[in-house]
Amino acid sequence: MAEIKLMKGNEVIAEAAIRCGCDGYFGYPITPQSEVMETLMAREPWKETGMVVLQAESEIAAINMVYGAAACGKRAMTSSSSPGISLKQEGLTYLAGAELPCLVVDVVRGGPGLGTIQPAQSDYFQATRGGGHGDYHLLVLAPASVQEMNDFVSLGFDLAFKYRNPVMILADGVIGQMMEKVQLADYSPRWTDDDIERISGKWALTGKKGRDRHVATSLELDSYKQEIFNHKLQAKYRLMQENDARHEELHCEDAEYIFVAYGSSARICQKSIQLCREQGIKAGLFRPVTLYPFPRVPLRALSRRVKGFMAVEMSAGQMVEDVRLTVDANVPVEHFGRYGGVIPTPDEIVEALKKQIISAS
Amino acid sequence: MTVETIDIIREENLVYRKTPALTDNVMHYCPGCSHGVVHKLVAEVIEETGIREQTIGVSPVGCSVLAYNYLDIDWAEAAHGRAPAVATGISRLHPEKYVFTYQGDGDLASIGTAEVMHACNRGENIVIIFVNNAIYGMTGGQMAPTTLVGQVTSTTPYGRDVKLNGFPMKITELLAQLDGTGFVTRQAVHTPLAIRKAKNAIRKAFENTKKDKGTSFIEIVGTCSSGWKMTPVDANRWMVENMFPKYPLGDIKDI
C-alpha cells in the first residue's frame, strides 16, 4: 500500500533517497535546501538501511566525498543551492570526466553572488551547459511538484548509472519549500557487493582482486587519446538526446500560443492557460522535464503549427535560448521573466503574451 | 676458484626483489626524487601485510598524480587538494577497506588545507602519506607553503621573504593537535636507516586502520633535485642541513 503524506519538497528528497537505497549523502547547509540534510540526520538512515549521511566541511569537500563514493560504484548524492553549486563545479567536471554516476540536487535561489534566498531559475545555463571546465554535460531533471521531487531521486540514480554521468535535479526555492501531497516510493534495498559487481564491475573500486586494477581518473596526458575520450562523451550525450529527452504537454492539441516553462514557472503557467482560455486565447504549455537533453524534437514539431512561443522563466532569459535554437525561425519566440527572487503572477504572464506576441503579430 | 655470475643468480641467493604490488611501468620521476622510494615502501607494506586486495589509494594533483600507474591496486585520482575528501567518501562506504591518500606539499598544505584538516579532525580511518619537498615540482618549481625562508624557487627568485610570502608551514604539527589523529610522524628516505624507519611508520599506519585508531599521518621530508636545481647527492645534503632543522624527524603523536 503506497504511503501518502503531506511533505516539503526538500524533505521528500531525503525520504526518497533513503527509500530508493541510496548509499551515501554528503552535504553542507545552505538556504533554501537545508531541510534535506536535517531530515536525513533526524531519520538516522544508517540504523535503518546502512545509508551514510555526513555533514562535510564545505560544498567542495561534499562533492569530492561523492566522487569517492561514486568511484566505488555506490549510489551517492549531495544537495545544495546556487552559491554552493558554484563551489561544486570543480567536483562535477571531475565526476563527468571520470564518468562517475551521482545525483546532485540544486534548489536554486536568486543571484548573482550571495544574491537572495528566494526562489529563482537563473542557474539554467550553469546546469545545462556543464558548469565547470571542459566539454561535458550533466543530465538535468526539472521537477515541477513535490511528487516529482520524490520520483526524480530514483529516476536520477537510474539515469546516472545508465550513462555513467552525474545527474542534477534542478529545482528551485518554491519546489523545495512548498508542501504538497506526495505518494512515497516503496523501500528498495541498497545494492549488495554482488549487485555492484554486476552493475559496475568493469570500473568500480572494490579492491583489486583477480582482475586488472581500476582507476577513477579524468587525466589523459596524450591529447589524441583525450580527443577520443571526448568523442565518447559526445556520443553519450547524443544517446541521452535520442533516448531520454522528456517533456510534458498541456492543452497543446488546439493551442495557438504556447508557454514553454519548467519547474515552478510551469505550475504558474497552468493558471495562465486557464485565464487565457477564459478570454478566448487558445494557450497551451510545453514543459521540458529534462533541461539537458532539451526535448528538441517534440518542441520543433509543435512549432510548425502554432503562432508563437512565450518562454516563462524566473530568470532574465536563459532557457529561451534553447527554445530559439529549437523552433522554426519564422515562429515568434518571446521571453517573460521575473527574477532576483521574484515569482511571476499568472496575470502578468497573460498580459506579457498579449503585449509581446498577440498584439505584435 | 672462479665463480660464474650465472651460478650466483639463483632463487636461493636472492636478497632483494621488486614487490609484486609495484607495476612494471617506468616511473616518470626525476633522478634523485624521493617519490620512487616512498612508492616502493608503500607497495611493500601493502604486499607484506597482505592487504593488497582491500586497499584503495587516492592520488593527488602534482608530481605523484600518476601514482596509479605504479602501485598495482585500485585508485581514485582526486582534484587538487581534495584527496582526503575523496578518501572520506571511499572509507565511509567501504569501512572494511584500507584507504590512503598520497599527497605533496602544494596539494595537501596549500590548496587542500581545509580537506586534510577536517578529515583529520573527523578522525577518518585512513592513512595520509604526505611527501614534503618544499616546492611545486610538476609545475616547474614554484614556492610551496613549506618552502624555507630564503629558499629560491621560480616564484621566489630572490628567496622566500616572510613579509611577502609568510612563513614555512609546519602542517604536520598542526594536524597533530587535532583529536582525530592517532598517529602523526615525520620521516625521511635519504639513508637506508631512514628508509627502514619510514617503512615501519607506514606499516604502523596501515595497521592502525585495522584497529580503527583514527587518522594516521606520515610526513616524509623529501628532495626535489630538479626543482632545487641540485644534484641528487647535494639535494640530500641540503635537506639534512636545511630542511631537518625546520622539520625535525620523529613521531609527533602516537596514541
Side-chain angles (χ1 to χ4, degrees):
Chain A
M1 184 67 192
E3 200 175 339
I4 294 174
K5 280 195 170 179
L6 182 69
M7 289 178 82
K8 263 189 178 191
N10 289 336
E11 294 166 352
V12 163
I13 290 286
E15 189 64 37
I18 298 168
R19 285 171 180 248
C20 83
C22 175
D23 296 300
Y25 171 96
F26 304 91
Y28 185 83
I30 183 171
T31 309
Q33 65 77 55
S34 295
E35 294 90 348
V36 179
M37 188 162 48
E38 287 170 353
T39 304
L40 284 169
M41 289 298 187
R43 285 277 268 104
E44 298 182 304
W46 50 90
K47 292 181 179 170
E48 194 181 343
T49 70
M51 175 184 175
V52 168
V53 185
L54 187 61
Q55 178 169 341
E57 67 270 26
S58 69
E59 305 285 6
I60 296 169
I63 193 70
N64 281 285
M65 291 171 185
V66 168
Y67 179 102
C72 298
K74 302 280 186 176
R75 284 187 285 185
M77 67 180 290
T78 184
S79 66
S80 189
S81 178
S82 308
I85 295 291
S86 292
L87 285 168
K88 290 189 197 294
Q89 294 304 328
E90 175 197 61
L92 285 170
T93 178
Y94 276 72
L95 280 150
E99 292 195 280
L100 297 177
C102 71
L103 183 64
V104 179
V105 181
D106 183 0
V107 183
V108 178
R109 59 190 247 186
L114 202 48
T116 168
I117 58 170
Q118 299 301 325
Q121 295 181 313
S122 42
D123 298 337
Y124 180 92
F125 284 155
Q126 187 189 51
T128 59
R129 267 56 177 171
H133 60 279
D135 275 323
Y136 77 94
H137 290 281
L138 312 176
L139 193 153
V140 184
L141 295 164
S145 63
V146 172
Q147 184 65 52
E148 283 188 336
M149 288 289 253
N150 175 78
D151 301 347
F152 288 0
V153 171
S154 167
L155 174 66
F157 275 122
D158 289 349
L159 292 169
F161 277 83
K162 178 177 178 183
Y163 292 108
R164 279 186 65 185
N165 202 71
V167 167
M168 175 176 276
I169 293 178
L170 190 74
D172 58 62
V174 177
I175 305 288
Q177 290 295 327
M178 74 179 178
M179 296 185 84
E180 282 189 309
K181 187 177 76 173
V182 56
Q183 183 176 326
L184 297 171
D186 293 333
Y187 282 86
S188 306
R190 288 176 55 224
W191 286 344
T192 62
D193 288 350
D194 286 343
D195 291 334
I196 290 172
E197 186 58 37
R198 178 171 47 79
I199 295 161
S200 312
K202 286 191 177 138
W203 55 269
L205 311 183
T206 53
K208 179 194 174 323
K209 193 175 184 179
R211 56 159 171 78
D212 288 344
R213 68 185 179 283
H214 288 167
V215 181
T217 181
S218 56
L219 178 68
E220 178 49 69
L221 292 170
D222 181 333
S223 301
Y224 293 96
K225 286 185 185 166
Q226 184 63 10
E227 188 183 39
I228 289 166
F229 173 69
N230 270 265
H231 288 160
K232 183 182 167 198
L233 284 186
Q234 294 304 316
K236 181 158 84 175
Y237 304 143
R238 281 193 294 277
L239 272 183
M240 287 180 189
Q241 177 68 47
E242 282 166 28
N243 301 324
D244 281 295
R246 291 159 194 249
H247 79 291
E248 222 177 58
E249 294 179 20
L250 183 66
H251 301 310
C252 286
E253 308 80 26
D254 65 338
E256 296 180 330
Y257 302 98
I258 290 185
F259 297 115
V260 185
Y262 67 94
S264 41
S265 291
R267 292 290 289 275
I268 299 165
C269 284
Q270 289 182 15
K271 181 69 181 173
S272 302
I273 291 170
Q274 192 189 328
L275 296 174
C276 280
R277 290 196 174 244
E278 283 167 9
Q279 298 172 40
I281 301 166
K282 287 182 178 170
L285 170 68
F286 183 94
R287 176 169 81 92
V289 173
T290 52
L291 303 182
Y292 189 92
F294 193 73
R296 289 199 298 250
V297 177
L299 184 62
R300 190 166 174 78
L302 274 180
S303 74
R304 299 194 180 107
R305 59 178 170 84
V306 300
K307 293 181 179 172
F309 291 98
M310 170 69 79
V312 181
E313 305 171 73
M314 295 192 288
S315 80
Q318 299 192 12
M319 180 198 62
V320 66
E321 291 194 2
D322 278 337
V323 179
R324 290 203 173 107
L325 285 167
T326 300
V327 303
D328 274 1
N330 51 359
V331 184
V333 177
E334 290 292 322
H335 169 262
F336 177 74
R338 296 299 303 270
Y339 31 100
V342 180
I343 301 166
T345 67
D347 290 298
E348 62 185 351
I349 292 170
V350 175
E351 287 313 306
L353 173 68
K354 287 197 228 170
K355 189 175 156 203
Q356 289 173 239
I357 298 187
I358 300 176
S359 309
S361 58
Chain B
M1 194 179 85
T2 56
V3 179
E4 293 295 324
T5 312
I6 197 75
D7 294 328
I8 300 171
I9 306 175
R10 286 189 186 150
E11 185 70 22
E12 63 266 29
N13 289 336
L14 280 181
V15 291
Y16 176 84
R17 72 169 81 210
K18 180 179 77 67
T19 173
L22 277 179
T23 66
D24 289 331
N25 293 327
V26 176
M27 288 189 183
H28 69 282
Y29 299 114
C30 307
C33 173
S34 310
H35 277 306
V37 181
V38 182
H39 279 21
K40 189 191 78 161
L41 296 183
V42 175
E44 284 178 354
V45 166
I46 288 172
E47 188 66 37
E48 289 162 15
T49 47
I51 59 170
R52 192 167 155 198
E53 292 175 349
Q54 294 93 47
T55 302
I56 299 176
V58 184
S59 66
V61 170
C63 284
S64 47
V65 64
L66 293 169
Y68 56 74
N69 282 342
Y70 310 129
L71 266 69
D72 198 16
I73 53 170
D74 278 3
W75 283 94
E77 203 291 302
H80 201 19
R82 317 299 178 217
V86 173
T88 298
I90 297 171
S91 170
R92 290 282 177 145
L93 290 177
H94 271 317
E96 77 291 358
K97 295 266 193 302
Y98 296 85
V99 182
F100 74 97
T101 74
Y102 188 107
Q103 304 174 258
D105 42 74
D107 191 85
L108 182 140
S110 191
I111 199 165
T113 320
E115 284 76 13
V116 75
M117 217 33 111
H118 286 275
C120 287
N121 195 49
R122 287 189 301 266
E124 295 296 339
N125 194 28
I126 58 174
V127 175
I128 297 176
I129 313 263
F130 166 47
V131 178
N132 173 15
N133 57 15
I135 207 158
Y136 284 74
M138 175 173 264
T139 44
Q142 294 83 9
M143 180 190 72
T146 48
T147 295
L148 298 179
V149 174
Q151 187 179 345
V152 172
T153 72
S154 68
T155 51
T156 54
Y158 310 109
R160 182 176 188 157
D161 172 0
V162 294
K163 284 204 170 132
L164 185 62
N165 304 305
F167 297 87
M169 186 184 273
K170 296 174 83 164
I171 191 144
T172 304
E173 278 79 355
L174 277 172
L175 296 172
Q177 300 296 311
L178 302 173
D179 292 337
T181 49
F183 176 47
V184 180
T185 186
R186 185 182 284 120
Q187 303 290 332
V189 290
H190 62 306
T191 63
L193 177 62
I195 288 171
R196 275 200 293 279
K197 283 184 177 173
K199 185 172 173 180
N200 285 338
I202 293 167
R203 184 182 291 112
K204 183 175 194 167
F206 280 96
E207 282 165 359
N208 281 349
T209 298
K210 192 164 198 173
K211 297 173 192 158
D212 204 1
K213 289 182 95 171
T215 312
S216 294
F217 188 93
I218 301 166
E219 173 178 340
I220 308 235
V221 181
T223 57
C224 176
S225 34
S226 296
W228 295 357
K229 304 196 188 309
M230 293 176 198
T231 64
V233 174
D234 286 347
N236 265 344
R237 191 177 302 125
W238 190 88
M239 174 175 74
V240 172
E241 288 169 4
N242 298 278
M243 295 275 284
F244 289 178
K246 182 70 189 174
Y247 304 112
L249 306 187
D251 291 353
I252 297 166
K253 181 180 185 179
D254 185 8
I255 55 172

